[in-house]
Amino acid sequence: MLTDHYELTMLQAALRSGAASRRAVFEVFARQLPGGRRYGVVAGIGRVLDAVEDFRFGDEELAFLRDNQVVDEPTLDFLAGYRFSGDLYGYREGECYFPGSPIVTVEGTFAEAVLLETVILSILNHDSAIATAAARMVRAAAGRPIIEMGSRRTHEMSAVAAARAAYLSGFSSTSNLMAGHLYGVPTAGTAAHAFTLLHDSERGAFQAQIASLGAGTTLLVDTYDVAEAVRTGVELAGPELGAVRLDSGDLCEIATEVREQLDALGAHKTRIIVTSDLDEYAIAALASAPVDGYGVGTSLVTGSGVPTAAMVYKLVAREDASGVLAPVAKRSVGKPSRGGRKCAFRRLDESGTADAELVVTSGREPSGARPLQVPLVRGGEVVGRESLEASRAWHREVLAELPAAAHHLSRGDAALPTVFD
Amino acid sequence: MLTDHYELTMLQAALRSGAASRRAVFEVFARQLPGGRRYGVVAGIGRVLDAVEDFRFGDEELAFLRDNQVVDEPTLDFLAGYRFSGDLYGYREGECYFPGSPIVTVEGTFAEAVLLETVILSILNHDSAIATAAARMVRAAAGRPIIEMGSRRTHEMSAVAAARAAYLSGFSSTSNLMAGHLYGVPTAGTAAHAFTLLHDSERGAFQAQIASLGAGTTLLVDTYDVAEAVRTGVELAGPELGAVRLDSGDLCEIATEVREQLDALGAHKTRIIVTSDLDEYAIAALASAPVDGYGVGTSLVTGSGVPTAAMVYKLVAREDASGVLAPVAKRSVGKPSRGGRKCAFRRLDESGTADAELVVTSGREPSGARPLQVPLVRGGEVVGRESLEASRAWHREVLAELPAAAHHLSRGDAALPTVFD
């Protein structure tokens, strides 16, 4: 029952008017890329497929709808037997998108397709916003690994989806165990300040940690005095000490000092991990610092200033009274939409660099352009499921195709123009 | 298993060092109010109590932890028998908080208390950010009702919690049916543009809607031409037409025109509901417009620029080697924390207006100040559950106590100074 009240009242009115059974085409797209992003990353397709497969109204939900007089009996009967039997097609998970890209298309009767609006948008708006921010951070990190550790800064279930989306975009691991369990995202983490404070001394805490987790563990060294903690850590673990984590202060300066100290102690292989309110700009600013990895929390799970992707779900065509599928579009001021079912292609120049997003309603197939849509659901059956690893690999390929301007961190226009035909 | 990897590795190391069984006191607090908010609203306490009650590791989760070698066998044994048996106390849901307010205190063994960090923070950081933004919108709306309709702009489960938090802060209803089902939040909604576009004409769509939902329904009138839609709506429903909804354009100007038109048509009681990317500033700007209600989506579920409340979970005291509960605090640069278990009071002046947040570790009880903490969990049993309606009423009372400066929408300092003793 992850749907809005008005989907059900629309359904009721359409069942009564007879229009509920008309064939309808809805499209998910974004009018713009909020926050001056240069591209968006499609994320959440796998979760959408799960949601469409599981979309049902159980006895408890139906009783709620009846008791609260949300809808009438014929509508409750329809909902009791609901199972999506239409088609979905759209962009692969990990693909990039631009303003107007038809990210997902839903075809079925109006009745069955309208009910999916809320849950499809929730998933894609959240996951794509996170994946888009994550992609910028991964680029800024220039090959250094990033651990996602923002679970505590967002809703407990968003956290799981955020960890999944971050991994899709190239993060190396997450602190979120549920994301490991549900989606196979590698998990990581060692200790917090509380662990040091729990013990009677920092030395006692480090001893306990190394005894239990081995010399390869990561010691958090900024609870009291960083230099002293690093000295103690290497003394206890030896030069095999895996890593030290810095979570406060001027990270660039402290990392440089700690690197010198570690090298002087012979711990050349001990890595330096930095955390503490990092975002893509802070990561970029640490490019020249002797840092081996980043931990990112708040800014990742909140989309680094853009917590939602601004995608909408719009009816673009429906059967008319004579049974013909006709394009439709509203005329609301400032919120234009284009009627008609769309095909999408990415145009590449001779060097293989993308130079336009082609969105076609005319039926003309452009030559030398890569089709962007794949079948996802056919007759109610999921046909487009991909592994998260496959989506992650696909994302890397797609990103490599974009022009250099796509990777600017500054606010600006979309990296590709969308050409409608 | 809504917990972070490092909670479990800390647990493993502490079980081995013997420190896991030390009595520990953790506190949830915010170092500052992000976004220049004047106060924060405590939200999610009811959900925290559910989470603490349900916090278990099932066979499937334990198998995942074993297979992925997250922790060792003694730790898995501990987790298999885990049940929180300690105490929680803190601010009531709906209470206001300020920098340093001890919002929730968790007491138990280190082992049992450390595991709750992630889920408690997730819930409070999300729900409080939303409730704080919602309270500003409710104030700006000055008595006009606000419908929460942002489900589609955030993770599907955050959406449910956001609807709950918005209602706590005074929103009148939500579009989210699950929030109605789970938390009793009143639900509302009628139709989208798709419903109008589905039919062969706007008139046909309105006829269908009125036939099914009655003349008291809300018609969405900006799909094509607003004036024509209003005329058609009143013609079909009569002056009993419940409301019209405007979702685009210059809402102030259009609402004025529509009000004149409705009055000229004799539909004096037909209300005007406006939606379209409203936030507290847009709502305030519509104060003089003839608007009867607002629908708020994106800005509510994203905390209107502040999607997370920046609360942390810190160890403030723990048993030392000699069995004495001793205060602890880290010294990390720029992230100060104060050791010791805290009591909190709101000081009121003679007129009953709040003038300070008192946070006391000395044991001195201030006179003439309202105690802010209540028991929530005792010996593992939930004792502090309140109905959402009771929390909502409490929020209104607390808000009435704050000084006028608390209600400025501009960025600024906290409305009350926090005085530590």
Side-chain angles (χ1 to χ4, degrees):
Chain A
M1 204 173 57
L2 295 167
T3 193
D4 278 331
H5 190 114
Y6 85 168
E7 320 284 10
L8 299 196
T9 46
M10 280 194 276
L11 172 63
Q12 173 180 317
L15 283 170
R16 174 142 174 177
S17 76
S21 60
R22 288 186 172 191
R23 185 152 193 83
V25 182
F26 286 89
E27 276 175 5
V28 175
F29 63 95
R31 292 196 183 92
Q32 75 288 338
L33 301 174
R37 300 285 193 248
R38 309 309 183 101
Y39 60 91
V41 177
V42 176
I45 297 290
R47 299 209 309 118
V48 163
L49 298 180
D50 293 344
V52 170
E53 241 175 0
D54 297 344
F55 202 86
R56 297 279 190 290
F57 291 81
D59 292 342
E60 215 188 297
E61 285 86 17
L62 294 169
F64 164 78
L65 297 174
R66 179 178 289 115
D67 294 348
N68 289 273
Q69 301 173 331
V70 174
V71 284
D72 61 14
E73 286 299 324
T75 310
L76 291 171
D77 287 347
F78 177 91
L79 295 175
Y82 181 84
R83 200 189 179 305
F84 182 70
S85 69
D87 300 333
L88 258 75
Y89 52 91
Y91 283 37
R92 287 177 65 183
E93 185 146 13
E95 182 61 80
C96 290
Y97 70 89
F98 299 90
S101 297
I103 297 162
V104 170
T105 306
V106 180
E107 294 202 28
T109 63
F110 176 80
E112 65 181 352
V114 76
L115 292 184
L116 298 177
E117 174 177 24
T118 308
V119 71
I120 289 180
L121 284 179
S122 287
I123 293 173
L124 295 178
N125 271 324
H126 175 267
D127 292 13
S128 300
I130 306 301
T132 300
R136 291 160 56 85
M137 295 173 190
V138 169
R139 183 77 186 191
R144 291 173 178 170
I146 316 183
I147 309 173
E148 187 283 310
M149 37 182 269
S151 294
R152 64 195 53 200
R153 302 281 182 242
T154 188
H155 184 279
E156 65 276 19
M157 294 310 297
S158 310
V160 183
R164 180 185 181 280
Y167 186 65
L168 171 73
S169 288
F171 272 48
S172 60
S173 57
T174 179
S175 67
N176 190 291
L177 287 169
M178 193 68 96
H181 182 38
L182 293 181
Y183 302 118
V185 179
T187 65
T190 51
H193 295 104
F195 184 78
T196 299
L197 295 171
L198 169 68
H199 290 81
D200 295 308
S201 68
E202 189 172 59
R203 172 176 293 267
F206 287 0
Q207 273 170 332
Q209 187 176 332
I210 293 161
S212 176
L213 304 173
T217 193
T218 300
L219 295 174
L220 177 57
V221 292
D222 71 340
T223 305
Y224 304 112
D225 178 80
V226 172
E228 199 181 313
V230 169
R231 197 176 314 119
T232 306
V234 176
E235 189 189 320
L236 294 171
E240 286 73 42
L241 176 61
V244 295
R245 175 158 79 97
L246 302 169
D247 184 47
S248 55
D250 181 329
L251 295 173
C252 186
E253 190 181 310
I254 300 173
T256 304
E257 289 168 13
V258 168
R259 183 74 268 157
E260 284 170 11
Q261 189 187 1
L262 286 169
D263 288 343
L265 293 167
H268 300 287
K269 289 188 177 161
T270 301
R271 289 167 304 124
I272 298 176
I273 310 294
V274 296
T275 58
S276 188
D277 284 334
L278 299 179
D279 61 13
E280 61 268 48
Y281 306 103
I283 291 171
L286 287 163
S288 64
V291 163
D292 302 286
Y294 304 95
V296 177
T298 307
S299 70
L300 183 276
V301 297
T302 58
S304 198
V306 182
T308 185
M311 291 178 196
V312 294
Y313 186 91
K314 294 294 168 192
L315 184 70
V316 296
R318 52 91 184 115
E319 225 177 310
D320 63 19
S322 59
V324 173
L325 194 72
V328 293
K330 65 173 174 170
R331 289 182 221 136
S332 313
V333 181
K335 293 183 177 176
S337 58
R338 286 180 176 78
R341 190 175 4 193
K342 296 168 192 70
C343 291
F345 303 86
R346 189 144 306 148
R347 198 176 66 196
L348 307 172
D349 67 15
E350 316 77 56
S351 71
T353 303
D355 70 3
E357 186 83 341
L358 307 179
V359 178
V360 176
T361 47
S362 63
R364 277 190 289 274
E365 280 247 339
S367 62
R370 181 163 67 77
L372 291 164
Q373 293 149 304
V374 297
L376 296 170
V377 174
R378 214 177 261 147
E381 296 301 316
V382 171
V383 296
R385 211 182 290 284
E386 291 192 273
S387 73
L388 186 56
E389 291 295 340
S391 301
R392 192 169 189 253
W394 180 242
H395 172 68
R396 271 198 305 272
E397 277 191 51
V398 168
L399 220 56
E401 216 178 62
L402 295 186
H407 304 296
H408 294 169
L409 290 183
S410 57
R411 295 171 73 99
D413 292 333
L416 298 186
T418 305
V419 179
F420 294 92
D421 177 21
Chain B
M1 203 173 58
L2 295 168
T3 192
D4 278 331
H5 190 114
Y6 85 168
E7 319 285 10
L8 299 196
T9 47
M10 280 194 277
L11 172 63
Q12 173 180 317
L15 284 169
R16 174 143 174 176
S17 76
S21 60
R22 287 186 172 191
R23 186 153 191 82
V25 182
F26 285 89
E27 275 175 5
V28 175
F29 64 94
R31 292 195 183 92
Q32 75 288 339
L33 301 175
R37 299 286 193 247
R38 309 310 183 101
Y39 61 89
V41 178
V42 176
I45 296 290
R47 299 209 308 118
V48 163
L49 298 180
D50 293 344
V52 170
E53 243 176 358
D54 297 344
F55 203 86
R56 298 279 190 291
F57 291 81
D59 292 341
E60 217 188 296
E61 285 85 17
L62 293 169
F64 164 78
L65 297 174
R66 179 178 290 115
D67 294 349
N68 289 273
Q69 301 173 330
V70 174
V71 284
D72 61 15
E73 286 299 324
T75 309
L76 292 171
D77 287 346
F78 176 89
L79 295 175
Y82 181 84
R83 201 191 179 303
F84 182 70
S85 68
D87 300 332
L88 257 75
Y89 52 91
Y91 283 37
R92 288 177 64 182
E93 185 145 14
E95 182 61 80
C96 292
Y97 69 89
F98 298 90
S101 297
I103 297 161
V104 170
T105 307
V106 180
E107 294 202 28
T109 63
F110 176 80
E112 65 181 351
V114 75
L115 293 184
L116 298 177
E117 174 177 25
T118 308
V119 72
I120 289 180
L121 285 179
S122 287
I123 293 172
L124 296 178
N125 271 323
H126 175 267
D127 292 12
S128 301
I130 305 301
T132 300
R136 291 159 56 85
M137 296 172 190
V138 169
R139 183 78 186 190
R144 291 173 179 170
I146 315 182
I147 309 174
E148 187 283 310
M149 37 182 270
S151 294
R152 64 195 54 201
R153 302 281 181 241
T154 187
H155 183 279
E156 64 276 19
M157 293 310 297
S158 311
V160 183
R164 180 185 182 280
Y167 186 66
L168 170 74
S169 288
F171 272 48
S172 60
S173 57
T174 179
S175 67
N176 190 291
L177 287 169
M178 193 69 96
H181 183 38
L182 293 181
Y183 302 118
V185 180
T187 65
T190 51
H193 295 105
F195 185 78
T196 299
L197 296 171
L198 169 67
H199 290 82
D200 296 307
S201 68
E202 188 171 60
R203 172 176 292 265
F206 287 1
Q207 273 170 331
Q209 187 176 332
I210 293 161
S212 177
L213 304 173
T217 192
T218 300
L219 295 174
L220 178 57
V221 292
D222 71 340
T223 305
Y224 304 111
D225 179 81
V226 172
E228 198 181 312
V230 170
R231 197 177 315 119
T232 306
V234 176
E235 188 190 320
L236 294 171
E240 287 73 43
L241 175 61
V244 296
R245 175 157 79 96
L246 302 169
D247 183 48
S248 54
D250 180 328
L251 295 172
C252 186
E253 191 181 309
I254 300 172
T256 304
E257 289 167 13
V258 168
R259 183 74 268 158
E260 283 169 13
Q261 189 186 2
L262 285 169
D263 288 344
L265 294 167
H268 300 286
K269 289 188 176 160
T270 301
R271 290 168 304 124
I272 299 176
I273 311 294
V274 297
T275 58
S276 188
D277 284 334
L278 299 179
D279 60 13
E280 60 268 48
Y281 306 104
I283 291 171
L286 287 163
S288 65
V291 163
D292 301 286
Y294 304 95
V296 178
T298 307
S299 70
L300 184 275
V301 297
T302 58
S304 198
V306 182
T308 185
M311 291 179 196
V312 294
Y313 186 91
K314 294 294 169 192
L315 184 69
V316 296
R318 52 92 185 114
E319 225 177 312
D320 63 18
S322 59
V324 173
L325 194 72
V328 292
K330 65 173 174 170
R331 289 183 221 135
S332 314
V333 181
K335 292 182 177 178
S337 58
R338 275 164 234 273
R341 188 170 13 188
K342 296 168 193 72
C343 290
F345 304 85
R346 188 143 308 147
R347 198 175 66 196
L348 307 173
D349 67 16
E350 318 76 56
S351 71
T353 302
D355 70 3
E357 187 84 340
L358 307 179
V359 177
V360 176
T361 47
S362 64
R364 277 190 290 273
E365 280 247 339
S367 62
R370 180 162 68 78
L372 292 165
Q373 293 149 305
V374 296
L376 296 171
V377 174
R378 214 177 261 149
E381 295 302 316
V382 171
V383 296
R385 211 181 290 285
E386 291 193 274
S387 73
L388 186 56
E389 291 296 340
S391 301
R392 193 169 188 252
W394 181 242
H395 172 69
R396 271 198 306 271
E397 277 191 51
V398 168
L399 220 56
E401 216 178 61
L402 295 186
H407 304 295
H408 294 170
L409 290 183
S410 57
R411 295 171 72 99
D413 293 333
L416 298 185
T418 305
V419 180
F420 293 93
D421 177 22

